Amino acid sequence: MFSCKTIAFIYLSESSSQFCHKVPIFLFHSVPFLIRGSKFLECKCASEKVSESFERDPGQEFEPEPNQIVKQKKASIVDILKQSNSILPHVVLASTIMALVYPPSFTWFTSRYYAPALGFLMFAVGVNSSEKDFIEAFKRPDAIFTGYVGQFVVKPLLGYIFGIIAVTVFGLPTPLGAGIMLVSCVSGAQLSNYATFLTDPPLAPLSIVMTSLSTATAVFVTPMLSLLLIGKRLPVDVVGMVSSILQIVIAPITAGLLLNRLFPRLCEAMRPFLPPLSVLDTACCVGAPLAININSVLSPFGLTVSLLIVAFHLSAFIAGYFLSGSLFHKAPDVKALQRTLSFETGMQSSLLALALANRFFQDPLVSVPPAISTVIMSLMGFALVMIWAKKKE
């Protein structure tokens, strides 16, 4: 026991940590004070140090460390790069306007660049996926079959209906109606895979499987559908179609998967730069066909055909969405599946239809609907990407 107003300096040491600390203890009015160890004093001293660190001079301003500022700047730049996909619909719209106002801005992007450009988009999907994702996709044959039905049953029926409406209701020339039907006979578009990747990344492999299957069988199905709907059998280059699948889909995705498996750190460094590059890539894929076929789009029938193409694609998007919703309403990811099948049904390879029209039809009017479809399909698809992404947030 200490007397009043006595100041004692107690030296405490912990044998385990060899800690030695000098603690002043103020005792008042001869109150007995029992110290049962040093840990109480250590905690008290630690708390005093913490409180002192917060009790700064009122005039002193907090200044973050330089390395923290660098980290924050780096993080913000990476975040901006990763969020580039959010402006994709606006960039697509801007590229469309630019192609209409100043076609030479995109005419340099000729058809020889389409395969590498689409291949880059598939490579980006591969880098952000794994082989397990594709194995899981093959475990859903019912969804794959539904997507195939949407591609080669629902969509051709809609194309036939709108082709007939174009000729009988609007009085358009028969070749324009044939062009609308031709658009509905071709396989799915690789842009649908990228659209699915932006809205529902886990289902991107499923979308790729659907599109690859429709593209591989298009060498047989497209000629039969064109004969049935248009009355003209269009021979499709089997070797060219298989080569296209290898160049645009299989090789880039395999390269991305292997890179992700063997060099994960390299992929991690690449990922922030893939979204902005993909946005520019997509803008070229949309603006170039419009700029190259600007005369067809601005033809006297251009506005009417554009409205019919919008109605055709809108019907296909809606049909794919509700068809999958009715068949897979008990699935845990039914909404994501609906969006995926909507993209698969509503987006198709209009560039293939345009190539077939230019090669096998003498009347140039047949190529007008495919040229317009290339732009409308992309605008509507990526507009849905923006809408559904905001709803998910």
Side-chain angles (χ1 to χ4, degrees), residues 77 79-97 194 198-199 272-284 286 378-379 381-387 389-390 393:
I77 292 173
D79 290 339
I80 290 172
L81 291 174
K82 288 182 178 180
Q83 294 299 321
S84 300
N85 286 327
S86 62
I87 64 170
L88 180 59
H90 306 86
V91 174
V92 170
L93 180 60
S95 65
T96 302
I97 296 173
Y194 189 58
L198 294 178
T199 52
F273 299 96
L274 292 177
L277 292 175
S278 299
V279 169
L280 295 175
D281 190 336
T282 306
C284 291
V286 174
S378 304
L379 286 174
F382 290 112
L384 285 175
V385 168
M386 182 175 63
I387 293 170
K390 284 185 176 180
E393 292 175 0

mmCIF file of all heavy atoms in Angstrom, residues 77 79-97 194 198-199 272-284 286 378-379 381-387 389-390 393:
data_model
loop_
_atom_site.group_PDB
_atom_site.id
_atom_site.type_symbol
_atom_site.label_atom_id
_atom_site.label_comp_id
_atom_site.label_asym_id
_atom_site.label_seq_id
_atom_site.Cartn_x
_atom_site.Cartn_y
_atom_site.Cartn_z
ATOM 1 N N ILE A 77 -7.557 3.321 -62.122
ATOM 2 C CA ILE A 77 -7.315 3.119 -63.550
ATOM 3 C C ILE A 77 -7.761 1.726 -63.968
ATOM 4 O O ILE A 77 -8.409 1.542 -64.995
ATOM 5 C CB ILE A 77 -5.819 3.333 -63.875
ATOM 6 C CG1 ILE A 77 -5.456 4.814 -63.680
ATOM 7 C CG2 ILE A 77 -5.510 2.900 -65.297
ATOM 8 C CD1 ILE A 77 -3.986 5.101 -63.806
ATOM 9 N N ASP A 79 -10.005 -0.107 -62.498
ATOM 10 C CA ASP A 79 -11.465 -0.157 -62.443
ATOM 11 C C ASP A 79 -12.092 0.475 -63.684
ATOM 12 O O ASP A 79 -13.077 -0.035 -64.225
ATOM 13 C CB ASP A 79 -11.977 0.560 -61.189
ATOM 14 C CG ASP A 79 -11.646 -0.218 -59.925
ATOM 15 O OD1 ASP A 79 -11.399 -1.433 -60.047
ATOM 16 O OD2 ASP A 79 -11.615 0.390 -58.845
ATOM 17 N N ILE A 80 -11.508 1.586 -64.127
ATOM 18 C CA ILE A 80 -12.032 2.257 -65.325
ATOM 19 C C ILE A 80 -11.898 1.350 -66.537
ATOM 20 O O ILE A 80 -12.826 1.228 -67.346
ATOM 21 C CB ILE A 80 -11.286 3.588 -65.557
ATOM 22 C CG1 ILE A 80 -11.669 4.606 -64.476
ATOM 23 C CG2 ILE A 80 -11.608 4.160 -66.943
ATOM 24 C CD1 ILE A 80 -10.844 5.881 -64.510
ATOM 25 N N LEU A 81 -10.751 0.684 -66.662
ATOM 26 C CA LEU A 81 -10.543 -0.223 -67.790
ATOM 27 C C LEU A 81 -11.535 -1.375 -67.749
ATOM 28 O O LEU A 81 -12.109 -1.765 -68.769
ATOM 29 C CB LEU A 81 -9.109 -0.755 -67.766
ATOM 30 C CG LEU A 81 -8.006 0.254 -68.080
ATOM 31 C CD1 LEU A 81 -6.634 -0.376 -67.880
ATOM 32 C CD2 LEU A 81 -8.129 0.781 -69.511
ATOM 33 N N LYS A 82 -11.752 -1.927 -66.542
ATOM 34 C CA LYS A 82 -12.664 -3.060 -66.410
ATOM 35 C C LYS A 82 -14.107 -2.667 -66.696
ATOM 36 O O LYS A 82 -14.900 -3.485 -67.166
ATOM 37 C CB LYS A 82 -12.563 -3.655 -65.003
ATOM 38 C CG LYS A 82 -11.273 -4.424 -64.757
ATOM 39 C CD LYS A 82 -11.270 -5.025 -63.368
ATOM 40 C CE LYS A 82 -9.999 -5.840 -63.133
ATOM 41 N NZ LYS A 82 -9.967 -6.430 -61.774
ATOM 42 N N GLN A 83 -14.466 -1.412 -66.410
ATOM 43 C CA GLN A 83 -15.833 -0.951 -66.603
ATOM 44 C C GLN A 83 -16.084 -0.436 -68.012
ATOM 45 O O GLN A 83 -17.160 0.108 -68.286
ATOM 46 C CB GLN A 83 -16.155 0.157 -65.591
ATOM 47 C CG GLN A 83 -16.169 -0.312 -64.140
ATOM 48 C CD GLN A 83 -17.206 -1.387 -63.887
ATOM 49 O OE1 GLN A 83 -18.302 -1.340 -64.426
ATOM 50 N NE2 GLN A 83 -16.853 -2.373 -63.080
ATOM 51 N N SER A 84 -15.131 -0.609 -68.915
ATOM 52 C CA SER A 84 -15.303 -0.117 -70.285
ATOM 53 C C SER A 84 -16.489 -0.760 -70.983
ATOM 54 O O SER A 84 -17.120 -0.153 -71.849
ATOM 55 C CB SER A 84 -14.026 -0.367 -71.098
ATOM 56 O OG SER A 84 -12.929 0.294 -70.521
ATOM 57 N N ASN A 85 -16.806 -2.004 -70.606
ATOM 58 C CA ASN A 85 -17.923 -2.695 -71.245
ATOM 59 C C ASN A 85 -19.255 -1.985 -71.012
ATOM 60 O O ASN A 85 -20.194 -2.150 -71.801
ATOM 61 C CB ASN A 85 -18.029 -4.128 -70.719
ATOM 62 C CG ASN A 85 -16.933 -5.016 -71.269
ATOM 63 O OD1 ASN A 85 -16.493 -4.834 -72.398
ATOM 64 N ND2 ASN A 85 -16.477 -5.976 -70.477
ATOM 65 N N SER A 86 -19.339 -1.202 -69.947
ATOM 66 C CA SER A 86 -20.601 -0.528 -69.643
ATOM 67 C C SER A 86 -20.959 0.545 -70.667
ATOM 68 O O SER A 86 -22.127 0.910 -70.810
ATOM 69 C CB SER A 86 -20.541 0.105 -68.241
ATOM 70 O OG SER A 86 -19.506 1.086 -68.189
ATOM 71 N N ILE A 87 -19.966 1.041 -71.397
ATOM 72 C CA ILE A 87 -20.242 2.075 -72.408
ATOM 73 C C ILE A 87 -20.373 1.474 -73.804
ATOM 74 O O ILE A 87 -20.491 2.210 -74.781
ATOM 75 C CB ILE A 87 -19.133 3.152 -72.415
ATOM 76 C CG1 ILE A 87 -17.779 2.542 -72.828
ATOM 77 C CG2 ILE A 87 -19.034 3.833 -71.073
ATOM 78 C CD1 ILE A 87 -16.696 3.563 -73.087
ATOM 79 N N LEU A 88 -20.368 0.144 -73.898
ATOM 80 C CA LEU A 88 -20.422 -0.502 -75.205
ATOM 81 C C LEU A 88 -21.636 -0.087 -76.029
ATOM 82 O O LEU A 88 -21.496 0.249 -77.214
ATOM 83 C CB LEU A 88 -20.377 -2.019 -75.037
ATOM 84 C CG LEU A 88 -20.436 -2.835 -76.325
ATOM 85 C CD1 LEU A 88 -19.271 -2.472 -77.247
ATOM 86 C CD2 LEU A 88 -20.409 -4.327 -76.019
ATOM 87 N N PRO A 89 -22.866 -0.082 -75.477
ATOM 88 C CA PRO A 89 -24.010 0.347 -76.292
ATOM 89 C C PRO A 89 -23.863 1.762 -76.841
ATOM 90 O O PRO A 89 -24.248 2.032 -77.984
ATOM 91 C CB PRO A 89 -25.202 0.242 -75.321
ATOM 92 C CG PRO A 89 -24.760 -0.753 -74.302
ATOM 93 C CD PRO A 89 -23.291 -0.541 -74.147
ATOM 94 N N HIS A 90 -23.294 2.658 -76.041
ATOM 95 C CA HIS A 90 -23.107 4.029 -76.503
ATOM 96 C C HIS A 90 -22.067 4.099 -77.624
ATOM 97 O O HIS A 90 -22.230 4.856 -78.584
ATOM 98 C CB HIS A 90 -22.673 4.920 -75.332
ATOM 99 C CG HIS A 90 -23.585 4.856 -74.149
ATOM 100 N ND1 HIS A 90 -23.453 3.903 -73.163
ATOM 101 C CD2 HIS A 90 -24.657 5.607 -73.792
ATOM 102 C CE1 HIS A 90 -24.385 4.082 -72.251
ATOM 103 N NE2 HIS A 90 -25.135 5.110 -72.603
ATOM 104 N N VAL A 91 -21.022 3.295 -77.495
ATOM 105 C CA VAL A 91 -19.989 3.273 -78.535
ATOM 106 C C VAL A 91 -20.548 2.686 -79.826
ATOM 107 O O VAL A 91 -20.245 3.165 -80.929
ATOM 108 C CB VAL A 91 -18.762 2.465 -78.058
ATOM 109 C CG1 VAL A 91 -17.746 2.308 -79.176
ATOM 110 C CG2 VAL A 91 -18.114 3.156 -76.862
ATOM 111 N N VAL A 92 -21.366 1.637 -79.713
ATOM 112 C CA VAL A 92 -21.993 1.034 -80.895
ATOM 113 C C VAL A 92 -22.892 2.044 -81.595
ATOM 114 O O VAL A 92 -22.890 2.170 -82.827
ATOM 115 C CB VAL A 92 -22.793 -0.221 -80.494
ATOM 116 C CG1 VAL A 92 -23.653 -0.709 -81.654
ATOM 117 C CG2 VAL A 92 -21.845 -1.333 -80.059
ATOM 118 N N LEU A 93 -23.671 2.796 -80.808
ATOM 119 C CA LEU A 93 -24.531 3.829 -81.382
ATOM 120 C C LEU A 93 -23.696 4.916 -82.049
ATOM 121 O O LEU A 93 -24.029 5.381 -83.156
ATOM 122 C CB LEU A 93 -25.416 4.437 -80.287
ATOM 123 C CG LEU A 93 -26.380 5.535 -80.724
ATOM 124 C CD1 LEU A 93 -27.354 5.015 -81.779
ATOM 125 C CD2 LEU A 93 -27.139 6.101 -79.531
ATOM 126 N N ALA A 94 -22.603 5.311 -81.407
ATOM 127 C CA ALA A 94 -21.735 6.342 -81.984
ATOM 128 C C ALA A 94 -21.097 5.865 -83.284
ATOM 129 O O ALA A 94 -20.991 6.630 -84.255
ATOM 130 C CB ALA A 94 -20.661 6.733 -80.974
ATOM 131 N N SER A 95 -20.680 4.602 -83.316
ATOM 132 C CA SER A 95 -20.084 4.070 -84.546
ATOM 133 C C SER A 95 -21.110 3.992 -85.668
ATOM 134 O O SER A 95 -20.781 4.208 -86.840
ATOM 135 C CB SER A 95 -19.489 2.689 -84.281
ATOM 136 O OG SER A 95 -20.498 1.760 -83.939
ATOM 137 N N THR A 96 -22.368 3.717 -85.323
ATOM 138 C CA THR A 96 -23.441 3.682 -86.330
ATOM 139 C C THR A 96 -23.654 5.071 -86.936
ATOM 140 O O THR A 96 -23.754 5.222 -88.162
ATOM 141 C CB THR A 96 -24.748 3.183 -85.700
ATOM 142 O OG1 THR A 96 -24.528 1.882 -85.145
ATOM 143 C CG2 THR A 96 -25.858 3.115 -86.729
ATOM 144 N N ILE A 97 -23.711 6.075 -86.067
ATOM 145 C CA ILE A 97 -23.904 7.452 -86.542
ATOM 146 C C ILE A 97 -22.718 7.899 -87.393
ATOM 147 O O ILE A 97 -22.888 8.524 -88.454
ATOM 148 C CB ILE A 97 -24.113 8.400 -85.344
ATOM 149 C CG1 ILE A 97 -25.402 8.037 -84.596
ATOM 150 C CG2 ILE A 97 -24.156 9.852 -85.803
ATOM 151 C CD1 ILE A 97 -25.602 8.799 -83.310
ATOM 152 N N TYR A 194 -20.608 -12.848 -77.024
ATOM 153 C CA TYR A 194 -20.021 -11.733 -76.284
ATOM 154 C C TYR A 194 -21.092 -10.985 -75.480
ATOM 155 O O TYR A 194 -20.833 -10.547 -74.356
ATOM 156 C CB TYR A 194 -19.318 -10.784 -77.245
ATOM 157 C CG TYR A 194 -18.505 -9.725 -76.564
ATOM 158 C CD1 TYR A 194 -17.474 -10.060 -75.691
ATOM 159 C CD2 TYR A 194 -18.758 -8.376 -76.776
ATOM 160 C CE1 TYR A 194 -16.732 -9.104 -75.051
ATOM 161 C CE2 TYR A 194 -18.017 -7.404 -76.143
ATOM 162 C CZ TYR A 194 -17.002 -7.768 -75.287
ATOM 163 O OH TYR A 194 -16.266 -6.792 -74.645
ATOM 164 N N LEU A 198 -21.177 -10.486 -71.350
ATOM 165 C CA LEU A 198 -21.298 -9.206 -70.645
ATOM 166 C C LEU A 198 -22.413 -9.224 -69.614
ATOM 167 O O LEU A 198 -22.311 -8.552 -68.585
ATOM 168 C CB LEU A 198 -21.547 -8.081 -71.655
ATOM 169 C CG LEU A 198 -20.411 -7.777 -72.642
ATOM 170 C CD1 LEU A 198 -20.828 -6.687 -73.611
ATOM 171 C CD2 LEU A 198 -19.136 -7.393 -71.908
ATOM 172 N N THR A 199 -23.492 -9.958 -69.872
ATOM 173 C CA THR A 199 -24.630 -9.969 -68.940
ATOM 174 C C THR A 199 -24.549 -11.118 -67.944
ATOM 175 O O THR A 199 -24.797 -10.928 -66.758
ATOM 176 C CB THR A 199 -25.955 -10.060 -69.718
ATOM 177 O OG1 THR A 199 -25.887 -11.171 -70.631
ATOM 178 C CG2 THR A 199 -26.220 -8.794 -70.492
ATOM 179 N N PRO A 272 -7.577 -6.380 -67.456
ATOM 180 C CA PRO A 272 -8.087 -4.996 -67.471
ATOM 181 C C PRO A 272 -8.076 -4.347 -68.845
ATOM 182 O O PRO A 272 -8.852 -3.418 -69.096
ATOM 183 C CB PRO A 272 -7.131 -4.269 -66.507
ATOM 184 C CG PRO A 272 -6.567 -5.334 -65.640
ATOM 185 C CD PRO A 272 -6.462 -6.536 -66.507
ATOM 186 N N PHE A 273 -7.201 -4.813 -69.749
ATOM 187 C CA PHE A 273 -7.084 -4.186 -71.068
ATOM 188 C C PHE A 273 -8.016 -4.821 -72.109
ATOM 189 O O PHE A 273 -8.227 -4.243 -73.175
ATOM 190 C CB PHE A 273 -5.636 -4.279 -71.559
ATOM 191 C CG PHE A 273 -4.653 -3.578 -70.665
ATOM 192 C CD1 PHE A 273 -3.946 -4.291 -69.704
ATOM 193 C CD2 PHE A 273 -4.456 -2.215 -70.758
ATOM 194 C CE1 PHE A 273 -3.054 -3.651 -68.859
ATOM 195 C CE2 PHE A 273 -3.564 -1.566 -69.926
ATOM 196 C CZ PHE A 273 -2.854 -2.281 -68.968
ATOM 197 N N LEU A 274 -8.560 -5.996 -71.802
ATOM 198 C CA LEU A 274 -9.429 -6.670 -72.767
ATOM 199 C C LEU A 274 -10.771 -5.947 -72.980
ATOM 200 O O LEU A 274 -11.231 -5.839 -74.119
ATOM 201 C CB LEU A 274 -9.674 -8.121 -72.332
ATOM 202 C CG LEU A 274 -8.453 -9.038 -72.401
ATOM 203 C CD1 LEU A 274 -8.808 -10.431 -71.886
ATOM 204 C CD2 LEU A 274 -7.925 -9.125 -73.824
ATOM 205 N N PRO A 275 -11.437 -5.426 -71.934
ATOM 206 C CA PRO A 275 -12.711 -4.738 -72.171
ATOM 207 C C PRO A 275 -12.637 -3.546 -73.110
ATOM 208 O O PRO A 275 -13.432 -3.468 -74.060
ATOM 209 C CB PRO A 275 -13.168 -4.332 -70.756
ATOM 210 C CG PRO A 275 -12.529 -5.334 -69.868
ATOM 211 C CD PRO A 275 -11.197 -5.636 -70.481
ATOM 212 N N PRO A 276 -11.702 -2.582 -72.914
ATOM 213 C CA PRO A 276 -11.672 -1.455 -73.862
ATOM 214 C C PRO A 276 -11.327 -1.883 -75.285
ATOM 215 O O PRO A 276 -11.884 -1.346 -76.253
ATOM 216 C CB PRO A 276 -10.599 -0.522 -73.290
ATOM 217 C CG PRO A 276 -9.795 -1.350 -72.370
ATOM 218 C CD PRO A 276 -10.714 -2.379 -71.833
ATOM 219 N N LEU A 277 -10.428 -2.871 -75.434
ATOM 220 C CA LEU A 277 -10.093 -3.359 -76.770
ATOM 221 C C LEU A 277 -11.290 -4.065 -77.406
ATOM 222 O O LEU A 277 -11.534 -3.934 -78.610
ATOM 223 C CB LEU A 277 -8.901 -4.311 -76.696
ATOM 224 C CG LEU A 277 -7.555 -3.688 -76.311
ATOM 225 C CD1 LEU A 277 -6.483 -4.757 -76.152
ATOM 226 C CD2 LEU A 277 -7.132 -2.657 -77.353
ATOM 227 N N SER A 278 -12.044 -4.782 -76.599
ATOM 228 C CA SER A 278 -13.239 -5.464 -77.115
ATOM 229 C C SER A 278 -14.306 -4.469 -77.546
ATOM 230 O O SER A 278 -15.026 -4.701 -78.524
ATOM 231 C CB SER A 278 -13.795 -6.411 -76.053
ATOM 232 O OG SER A 278 -12.856 -7.407 -75.710
ATOM 233 N N VAL A 279 -14.408 -3.358 -76.819
ATOM 234 C CA VAL A 279 -15.381 -2.321 -77.191
ATOM 235 C C VAL A 279 -15.029 -1.733 -78.560
ATOM 236 O O VAL A 279 -15.905 -1.579 -79.428
ATOM 237 C CB VAL A 279 -15.419 -1.216 -76.107
ATOM 238 C CG1 VAL A 279 -16.202 -0.008 -76.602
ATOM 239 C CG2 VAL A 279 -16.052 -1.756 -74.839
ATOM 240 N N LEU A 280 -13.759 -1.403 -78.768
ATOM 241 C CA LEU A 280 -13.327 -0.876 -80.063
ATOM 242 C C LEU A 280 -13.521 -1.907 -81.166
ATOM 243 O O LEU A 280 -13.924 -1.575 -82.292
ATOM 244 C CB LEU A 280 -11.865 -0.441 -79.982
ATOM 245 C CG LEU A 280 -11.551 0.736 -79.050
ATOM 246 C CD1 LEU A 280 -10.045 0.970 -78.991
ATOM 247 C CD2 LEU A 280 -12.266 1.995 -79.519
ATOM 248 N N ASP A 281 -13.221 -3.146 -80.854
ATOM 249 C CA ASP A 281 -13.387 -4.250 -81.802
ATOM 250 C C ASP A 281 -14.847 -4.355 -82.243
ATOM 251 O O ASP A 281 -15.156 -4.427 -83.441
ATOM 252 C CB ASP A 281 -12.934 -5.542 -81.118
ATOM 253 C CG ASP A 281 -12.833 -6.699 -82.103
ATOM 254 O OD1 ASP A 281 -13.502 -6.657 -83.141
ATOM 255 O OD2 ASP A 281 -12.077 -7.648 -81.833
ATOM 256 N N THR A 282 -15.758 -4.341 -81.274
ATOM 257 C CA THR A 282 -17.186 -4.453 -81.580
ATOM 258 C C THR A 282 -17.675 -3.260 -82.386
ATOM 259 O O THR A 282 -18.504 -3.410 -83.298
ATOM 260 C CB THR A 282 -17.991 -4.572 -80.278
ATOM 261 O OG1 THR A 282 -17.466 -5.648 -79.496
ATOM 262 C CG2 THR A 282 -19.463 -4.827 -80.562
ATOM 263 N N ALA A 283 -17.188 -2.076 -82.047
ATOM 264 C CA ALA A 283 -17.593 -0.879 -82.789
ATOM 265 C C ALA A 283 -17.216 -0.996 -84.261
ATOM 266 O O ALA A 283 -17.995 -0.607 -85.143
ATOM 267 C CB ALA A 283 -16.936 0.356 -82.175
ATOM 268 N N CYS A 284 -16.053 -1.547 -84.542
ATOM 269 C CA CYS A 284 -15.640 -1.744 -85.946
ATOM 270 C C CYS A 284 -16.504 -2.792 -86.635
ATOM 271 O O CYS A 284 -16.875 -2.634 -87.805
ATOM 272 C CB CYS A 284 -14.172 -2.152 -86.005
ATOM 273 S SG CYS A 284 -13.016 -0.851 -85.532
ATOM 274 N N VAL A 286 -19.531 -3.411 -86.119
ATOM 275 C CA VAL A 286 -20.865 -2.853 -86.364
ATOM 276 C C VAL A 286 -20.822 -1.747 -87.414
ATOM 277 O O VAL A 286 -21.654 -1.704 -88.330
ATOM 278 C CB VAL A 286 -21.466 -2.312 -85.049
ATOM 279 C CG1 VAL A 286 -22.787 -1.600 -85.312
ATOM 280 C CG2 VAL A 286 -21.682 -3.451 -84.064
ATOM 281 N N SER A 378 -26.988 -5.750 -83.971
ATOM 282 C CA SER A 378 -25.971 -5.355 -82.995
ATOM 283 C C SER A 378 -26.493 -4.280 -82.048
ATOM 284 O O SER A 378 -26.290 -4.358 -80.826
ATOM 285 C CB SER A 378 -24.719 -4.854 -83.726
ATOM 286 O OG SER A 378 -24.229 -5.829 -84.609
ATOM 287 N N LEU A 379 -27.164 -3.276 -82.605
ATOM 288 C CA LEU A 379 -27.699 -2.197 -81.765
ATOM 289 C C LEU A 379 -28.712 -2.731 -80.755
ATOM 290 O O LEU A 379 -28.656 -2.391 -79.563
ATOM 291 C CB LEU A 379 -28.352 -1.121 -82.642
ATOM 292 C CG LEU A 379 -27.410 -0.202 -83.417
ATOM 293 C CD1 LEU A 379 -28.210 0.708 -84.336
ATOM 294 C CD2 LEU A 379 -26.565 0.622 -82.461
ATOM 295 N N GLY A 381 -29.102 -5.868 -79.717
ATOM 296 C CA GLY A 381 -28.482 -6.810 -78.790
ATOM 297 C C GLY A 381 -27.731 -6.119 -77.673
ATOM 298 O O GLY A 381 -27.912 -6.456 -76.489
ATOM 299 N N PHE A 382 -26.934 -5.124 -78.011
ATOM 300 C CA PHE A 382 -26.149 -4.453 -76.979
ATOM 301 C C PHE A 382 -26.979 -3.434 -76.192
ATOM 302 O O PHE A 382 -26.595 -3.056 -75.083
ATOM 303 C CB PHE A 382 -24.910 -3.825 -77.597
ATOM 304 C CG PHE A 382 -23.913 -4.843 -78.051
ATOM 305 C CD1 PHE A 382 -23.645 -5.035 -79.387
ATOM 306 C CD2 PHE A 382 -23.267 -5.644 -77.125
ATOM 307 C CE1 PHE A 382 -22.740 -5.999 -79.806
ATOM 308 C CE2 PHE A 382 -22.357 -6.613 -77.534
ATOM 309 C CZ PHE A 382 -22.101 -6.791 -78.883
ATOM 310 N N ALA A 383 -28.100 -3.007 -76.751
ATOM 311 C CA ALA A 383 -29.046 -2.213 -75.951
ATOM 312 C C ALA A 383 -29.643 -3.091 -74.853
ATOM 313 O O ALA A 383 -29.807 -2.657 -73.702
ATOM 314 C CB ALA A 383 -30.138 -1.649 -76.841
ATOM 315 N N LEU A 384 -29.944 -4.340 -75.183
ATOM 316 C CA LEU A 384 -30.430 -5.283 -74.170
ATOM 317 C C LEU A 384 -29.356 -5.571 -73.123
ATOM 318 O O LEU A 384 -29.669 -5.757 -71.945
ATOM 319 C CB LEU A 384 -30.876 -6.586 -74.836
ATOM 320 C CG LEU A 384 -32.211 -6.545 -75.580
ATOM 321 C CD1 LEU A 384 -32.471 -7.868 -76.289
ATOM 322 C CD2 LEU A 384 -33.353 -6.241 -74.613
ATOM 323 N N VAL A 385 -28.109 -5.621 -73.553
ATOM 324 C CA VAL A 385 -27.011 -5.800 -72.599
ATOM 325 C C VAL A 385 -27.028 -4.689 -71.561
ATOM 326 O O VAL A 385 -26.920 -4.936 -70.351
ATOM 327 C CB VAL A 385 -25.648 -5.823 -73.336
ATOM 328 C CG1 VAL A 385 -24.503 -5.721 -72.343
ATOM 329 C CG2 VAL A 385 -25.510 -7.094 -74.154
ATOM 330 N N MET A 386 -27.186 -3.451 -72.014
ATOM 331 C CA MET A 386 -27.201 -2.307 -71.100
ATOM 332 C C MET A 386 -28.418 -2.368 -70.175
ATOM 333 O O MET A 386 -28.302 -2.144 -68.963
ATOM 334 C CB MET A 386 -27.216 -1.011 -71.907
ATOM 335 C CG MET A 386 -27.181 0.243 -71.056
ATOM 336 S SD MET A 386 -27.042 1.754 -72.057
ATOM 337 C CE MET A 386 -28.577 1.677 -72.988
ATOM 338 N N ILE A 387 -29.587 -2.698 -70.727
ATOM 339 C CA ILE A 387 -30.814 -2.742 -69.922
ATOM 340 C C ILE A 387 -30.735 -3.829 -68.869
ATOM 341 O O ILE A 387 -31.022 -3.602 -67.681
ATOM 342 C CB ILE A 387 -32.041 -2.955 -70.835
ATOM 343 C CG1 ILE A 387 -32.255 -1.733 -71.731
ATOM 344 C CG2 ILE A 387 -33.292 -3.231 -70.007
ATOM 345 C CD1 ILE A 387 -33.286 -1.944 -72.819
ATOM 346 N N ALA A 389 -28.076 -5.390 -67.705
ATOM 347 C CA ALA A 389 -26.990 -5.158 -66.746
ATOM 348 C C ALA A 389 -27.433 -4.183 -65.653
ATOM 349 O O ALA A 389 -27.116 -4.361 -64.480
ATOM 350 C CB ALA A 389 -25.759 -4.626 -67.471
ATOM 351 N N LYS A 390 -28.191 -3.153 -66.022
ATOM 352 C CA LYS A 390 -28.680 -2.194 -65.032
ATOM 353 C C LYS A 390 -29.705 -2.843 -64.112
ATOM 354 O O LYS A 390 -29.752 -2.566 -62.902
ATOM 355 C CB LYS A 390 -29.312 -0.978 -65.739
ATOM 356 C CG LYS A 390 -28.278 -0.034 -66.327
ATOM 357 C CD LYS A 390 -28.946 1.213 -66.894
ATOM 358 C CE LYS A 390 -27.905 2.199 -67.403
ATOM 359 N NZ LYS A 390 -28.542 3.430 -67.951
ATOM 360 N N GLU A 393 -27.981 -4.826 -61.441
ATOM 361 C CA GLU A 393 -27.385 -3.987 -60.404
ATOM 362 C C GLU A 393 -28.433 -3.545 -59.400
ATOM 363 O O GLU A 393 -28.160 -3.391 -58.220
ATOM 364 C CB GLU A 393 -26.745 -2.743 -61.030
ATOM 365 C CG GLU A 393 -25.503 -3.081 -61.876
ATOM 366 C CD GLU A 393 -24.953 -1.864 -62.575
ATOM 367 O OE1 GLU A 393 -25.557 -0.779 -62.395
ATOM 368 O OE2 GLU A 393 -23.939 -1.960 -63.297
#
